[in-house]
Amino acid sequence: MARYTLVEPGQDPAERLAQTQAVLMRRGWTQSIVTFDNTGNSDPAVRPQMARLFTALCDRDIHGIIAVSQVDISTFPQVYTDTLAILRARGGFLDLARDECSL
Protein backbone atom coordinates (compact mmCIF):
# COMPACT_ATOMS: atom_id res chain seq x y z
CA MET A 1 0.00 0.00 0.00
CA ALA A 2 1.02 3.54 -0.61
CA ARG A 3 0.11 6.50 1.55
CA TYR A 4 -0.25 9.71 -0.42
CA THR A 5 -1.35 13.30 0.05
CA LEU A 6 -1.34 16.51 -1.91
CA VAL A 7 -0.30 19.75 -0.22
CA GLU A 8 0.34 23.33 -1.19
CA PRO A 9 3.96 24.41 -1.72
CA GLY A 10 5.56 24.90 1.70
CA GLN A 11 2.77 23.07 3.55
CA ASP A 12 3.83 20.26 5.90
CA PRO A 13 2.24 16.95 4.79
CA ALA A 14 2.70 15.27 8.21
CA GLU A 15 -0.85 15.81 9.52
CA ARG A 16 -2.49 14.52 6.36
CA LEU A 17 -0.13 11.54 6.13
CA ALA A 18 -0.94 10.69 9.76
CA GLN A 19 -4.58 10.35 8.75
CA THR A 20 -3.60 7.86 6.05
CA GLN A 21 -1.54 5.94 8.63
CA ALA A 22 -4.69 5.46 10.71
CA VAL A 23 -6.42 3.80 7.74
CA LEU A 24 -3.41 1.58 7.11
CA MET A 25 -3.34 0.43 10.73
CA ARG A 26 -7.12 -0.06 10.96
CA ARG A 27 -7.12 -2.29 7.88
CA GLY A 28 -3.96 -4.18 8.86
CA TRP A 29 -2.22 -3.37 5.59
CA THR A 30 1.53 -3.14 5.08
CA GLN A 31 2.88 0.05 3.61
CA SER A 32 5.66 0.21 1.09
CA ILE A 33 5.57 3.84 -0.08
CA VAL A 34 4.80 7.07 1.77
CA THR A 35 4.88 10.14 -0.40
CA PHE A 36 3.30 13.47 -1.24
CA ASP A 37 3.21 16.07 -3.96
CA ASN A 38 3.51 19.72 -3.07
CA THR A 39 2.21 21.05 -6.36
CA GLY A 40 -1.06 22.38 -5.04
CA ASN A 41 -4.23 21.72 -6.98
CA SER A 42 -2.59 20.48 -10.17
CA ASP A 43 -3.69 17.73 -12.53
CA PRO A 44 -2.72 14.32 -11.10
CA ALA A 45 -1.24 13.44 -14.50
CA VAL A 46 1.59 15.96 -13.99
CA ARG A 47 2.44 15.22 -10.35
CA PRO A 48 5.79 13.42 -9.98
CA GLN A 49 4.86 11.32 -6.95
CA MET A 50 1.48 10.33 -8.37
CA ALA A 51 3.34 9.12 -11.48
CA ARG A 52 5.63 7.13 -9.18
CA LEU A 53 2.60 5.47 -7.60
CA PHE A 54 1.07 4.62 -10.99
CA THR A 55 4.36 2.96 -11.94
CA ALA A 56 4.41 1.06 -8.64
CA LEU A 57 0.89 -0.19 -9.37
CA CYS A 58 1.94 -1.38 -12.83
CA ASP A 59 4.97 -3.11 -11.34
CA ARG A 60 2.78 -4.69 -8.62
CA ASP A 61 4.89 -3.09 -5.91
CA ILE A 62 1.67 -1.77 -4.41
CA HIS A 63 -1.99 -2.71 -4.76
CA GLY A 64 -3.60 0.57 -3.82
CA ILE A 65 -3.27 4.11 -2.56
CA ILE A 66 -4.57 5.59 0.68
CA ALA A 67 -5.31 9.31 0.57
CA VAL A 68 -7.08 11.58 3.03
CA SER A 69 -9.90 12.70 0.76
CA GLN A 70 -10.99 13.26 -2.81
CA VAL A 71 -9.16 16.62 -2.88
CA ASP A 72 -5.84 14.76 -2.70
CA ILE A 73 -6.66 13.51 -6.17
CA SER A 74 -8.64 16.43 -7.60
CA THR A 75 -11.33 18.95 -6.72
CA PHE A 76 -12.69 18.50 -10.24
CA PRO A 77 -15.18 15.60 -10.41
CA GLN A 78 -14.24 14.50 -13.93
CA VAL A 79 -10.50 14.51 -13.19
CA TYR A 80 -11.17 12.52 -10.00
CA THR A 81 -13.27 9.99 -11.92
CA ASP A 82 -10.67 9.71 -14.69
CA THR A 83 -7.91 9.13 -12.12
CA LEU A 84 -9.92 6.37 -10.45
CA ALA A 85 -10.32 4.74 -13.87
CA ILE A 86 -6.55 4.91 -14.39
CA LEU A 87 -5.95 3.29 -10.99
CA ARG A 88 -8.42 0.50 -11.77
CA ALA A 89 -6.92 -0.05 -15.23
CA ARG A 90 -3.57 -0.64 -13.52
CA GLY A 91 -5.15 -3.14 -11.12
CA GLY A 92 -5.20 -0.75 -8.17
CA PHE A 93 -7.67 1.03 -5.96
CA LEU A 94 -8.02 4.17 -3.85
CA ASP A 95 -9.02 4.13 -0.19
CA LEU A 96 -9.89 7.39 1.55
CA ALA A 97 -9.47 8.31 5.21
CA ARG A 98 -12.55 10.52 4.91
CA ASP A 99 -15.80 10.15 3.07
CA GLU A 100 -15.57 11.26 -0.58
CA CYS A 101 -17.93 14.14 0.12
CA SER A 102 -15.95 15.62 3.02
CA LEU A 103 -12.95 17.90 2.78
Side-chain angles (χ1 to χ4, degrees):
M1 287 302 302
R3 294 172 38 226
Y4 173 81
T5 193
L6 175 66
V7 295
E8 295 293 326
Q11 182 182 0
D12 185 357
E15 181 181 328
R16 294 184 69 78
L17 288 172
Q19 293 178 55
T20 64
Q21 176 68 24
V23 173
L24 184 85
M25 299 302 291
R26 185 171 54 246
R27 302 232 192 268
W29 291 333
T30 303
Q31 83 180 19
S32 59
I33 299 172
V34 179
T35 192
F36 67 95
D37 280 305
N38 62 356
T39 57
N41 193 17
S42 63
D43 188 326
V46 299
R47 296 183 203 153
Q49 294 304 309
M50 184 62 77
R52 175 183 174 207
L53 297 180
F54 287 163
T55 299
L57 281 169
C58 289
D59 293 344
R60 302 285 185 233
D61 293 334
I62 61 171
H63 301 289
I65 299 169
I66 304 170
V68 175
S69 69
Q70 179 177 342
V71 300
D72 287 292
I73 306 306
S74 182
T75 57
F76 300 101
Q78 189 59 53
V79 174
Y80 178 70
T81 300
D82 292 347
T83 304
L84 290 179
I86 291 168
L87 290 172
R88 286 187 197 112
R90 287 168 170 74
F93 64 91
L94 177 68
D95 196 359
L96 300 176
R98 300 180 190 168
D99 182 49
E100 277 189 337
C101 298
S102 68
L103 297 176

